[in-house]
Amino acid sequence: MSNSSSLQRRRVLSGMRPTGKLHLGNYMGALHNWVRLQDQYECYFFIADWHALTTDYADPSAIAANTREVALDYLAAGLDPEKSVLFIQSHVPQHAEFHLLLSMITPLGWLERVPSYKEQQENLTGKDLSTYGFLGYPLLQAADILIYQPDFVPVGQDQAAHVELTREVARRFNQFYKKQDTAYTFHGSNNNPAAPILPEPQVLLTPSPKLPGTDGRKMSKSYGNTILLSDPEPEIRSKLKPMVTDPARVRRKDPGNPDKCPVGDLHKIFSTQETLQEVYEGCTTAGIGCIECKTWAADAIVSTLLPIQERRAHLEQNPGLVKEILCEGSRRAQARAEQTMQQVRTAMGLGPEATGTAQ
Ligand code: TRP
Ligand code: SF4
């Protein structure tokens, strides 16, 4: 028997808020990495629709459609229901129960101190974010994570503080509550009574290359400078045309430097070594023009997205298939989440075992 089949694989959990169709920044910053992790780890990937509600509660009308778009992009990008458990957060009500229980032990100060709390309140000025739910955003995230007892959480730097809070909450929980020796702990990898109920997961920082948007700033939905995974080829080409370049290239005969140009950054991520070499050569000698250079960058992006768009088109024609994948994912996620919740309820003095109301 080979090692990989005899050993339990380590577990990974991550998710995204449903913000609508995903862009190249989401792909390079997360999805692309998740697709690779599937072959090495037992993976759980989900869409955090309750998290969308923490900011969009006054008008939740877009959340369902955005969730469907993200599901399509997950699958199109290569998340594979044969390898990973793919699901929607609100389809696994155990997350909400766990969030409630964790809220009992979480000091307010821990949540008020999370950097994104004040930042977002200041940035999203059109929304009233002085709500209970918004303050609890990172604790809901902690529940999302800890309920699967994962080893790793692959996220970008922007989420690292949330994973740190998650570890602190786990530690506090484990100090208060110890594993009870009940019939509930007989299966799963976590059946050693000395082991803590909630192992502290580690952040798996996604190495994310600098991915500029069409205005040269970081690609982000809020800047309106994105290239979507689902953008058709003509759209990609016309988005690249007005893209800013090295300001030193005022005229066609002025040489430039790809290291000072956002189009150069795109080449570094998406082009082959050969093309990249031609870009350096042509740019620094003014042998090529920026228009031609952008055409090559567009070619590289188009060919990266081609297989993703083919899969998306296939899925769009089979809504029943997507539905089935998500239903099956919820079933599997619920089963795993319920396993943790039985340990948690018992440890906190709840549930049929504790109250003597078991059937
Ligand atoms: N906060 C994450 C984001 O904005 C989404 C998220 C919710 C998440 N729960 C999670 C990410 C659990 C990783 C693990 O993208
Ligand atoms: Fe940028 Fe390419 Fe123009 Fe050089 S040739 S400045 S890399 S767009």
Side-chain angles (χ1 to χ4, degrees):
M1 200 193 298
S2 79
N3 255 346
S4 59
S5 63
S6 59
L7 290 174
Q8 178 115 29
R9 283 188 304 167
R10 290 198 283 182
R11 201 172 303 121
V12 154
L13 171 290
S14 197
M16 280 184 210
R17 257 174 318 155
T19 48
K21 290 181 171 158
L22 299 180
H23 54 72
L24 279 177
N26 303 125
Y27 181 65
M28 293 315 299
L31 262 184
H32 179 63
N33 190 39
W34 296 359
V35 169
R36 289 188 304 115
L37 294 172
Q38 294 183 111
D39 294 316
Q40 212 183 328
Y41 298 101
E42 179 192 340
C43 290
Y44 290 78
F45 297 116
F46 75 105
I47 302 167
D49 55 346
W50 280 331
H51 277 100
L53 217 42
T54 65
T55 53
D56 298 353
Y57 61 86
D59 177 12
S61 58
I63 296 176
N66 286 348
T67 299
R68 277 194 292 276
E69 296 292 359
V70 173
L72 283 170
D73 281 328
Y74 273 12
L75 294 165
L79 292 188
D80 179 349
E82 301 284 320
K83 298 179 183 167
S84 298
V85 181
L86 309 174
F87 64 100
I88 297 171
Q89 181 185 37
S90 66
H91 294 186
V92 186
Q94 284 89 346
H95 290 220
E97 181 189 359
F98 195 29
H99 175 221
L100 175 90
L101 295 180
L102 292 179
S103 79
M104 304 301 171
I105 68 163
T106 305
L108 271 181
W110 289 15
L111 298 173
E112 289 162 346
R113 253 188 276 116
V114 172
S116 55
Y117 179 58
K118 284 234 157 54
E119 266 167 40
Q120 291 275 70
Q121 276 194 331
E122 282 159 19
N123 293 344
L124 302 178
T125 44
K127 294 171 182 169
D128 179 1
L129 296 182
S130 35
T131 58
Y132 186 48
F134 187 69
L135 178 67
Y137 183 111
L139 189 64
L140 178 57
Q141 183 162 350
D144 297 336
I145 295 170
L146 296 173
I147 205 164
Y148 297 99
Q149 298 168 317
D151 299 283
F152 298 109
V153 187
V155 287
Q157 183 61 47
D158 64 317
Q159 297 295 314
H162 292 168
V163 179
E164 197 43 51
L165 176 87
T166 301
R167 291 165 57 86
E168 281 167 337
V169 170
R171 220 171 294 149
R172 189 167 162 91
F173 181 98
N174 293 330
Q175 277 162 9
F176 287 140
Y177 315 111
K178 301 277 179 275
K179 203 168 278 183
Q180 311 284 306
D181 199 11
T182 71
Y184 292 133
T185 54
F186 74 97
H187 56 63
S189 57
N190 216 10
N191 56 359
N192 169 7
I197 296 176
L198 303 178
E200 289 177 41
Q202 273 178 273
V203 66
L204 202 62
L205 271 190
T206 310
S208 54
K210 185 172 151 208
L211 183 82
T214 50
D215 60 358
R217 293 187 288 174
K218 177 185 154 78
M219 188 178 287
S220 160
K221 190 180 182 194
S222 53
Y223 293 152
N225 63 359
T226 61
I227 295 169
L228 301 178
L229 298 185
S230 48
D231 274 342
E233 176 167 352
E235 179 87 16
I236 295 172
R237 296 196 183 277
S238 71
K239 279 182 174 178
L240 283 195
K241 252 183 210 129
M243 194 157 169
V244 290
T245 59
D246 179 357
R249 293 206 75 179
V250 182
R251 278 163 299 237
R252 169 69 178 78
K253 66 176 171 41
D254 298 328
N257 180 353
D259 292 336
K260 294 182 181 160
C261 173
V263 179
D265 290 331
L266 291 180
H267 277 294
K268 286 175 204 165
I269 298 170
F270 297 106
S271 290
T272 60
Q273 277 309 313
E274 289 81 6
T275 305
L276 191 58
Q277 195 119 37
E278 285 179 61
V279 168
Y280 271 99
E281 174 73 27
C283 180
T284 51
T285 60
I288 57 166
C290 292
I291 296 174
E292 189 178 3
C293 185
K294 287 173 179 176
T295 309
W296 296 350
D299 292 343
I301 292 174
V302 166
S303 64
T304 303
L305 293 183
L306 186 71
I308 297 177
Q309 297 192 347
E310 281 175 357
R311 274 194 295 265
R312 197 183 217 275
H314 174 73
L315 292 159
E316 280 168 351
Q317 280 152 23
N318 292 281
L321 178 61
V322 178
K323 183 179 157 189
E324 201 176 305
I325 289 169
L326 293 172
C327 286
E328 176 59 16
S330 308
R331 258 195 304 277
R332 291 169 65 190
Q334 279 186 32
R336 185 59 190 80
E338 183 58 24
Q339 219 179 300
T340 304
M341 284 315 293
Q342 289 185 358
Q343 296 173 15
V344 165
R345 291 185 203 111
T346 304
M348 292 181 85
L350 305 163
E353 290 295 317
T355 51
T357 49
Q359 302 270 313

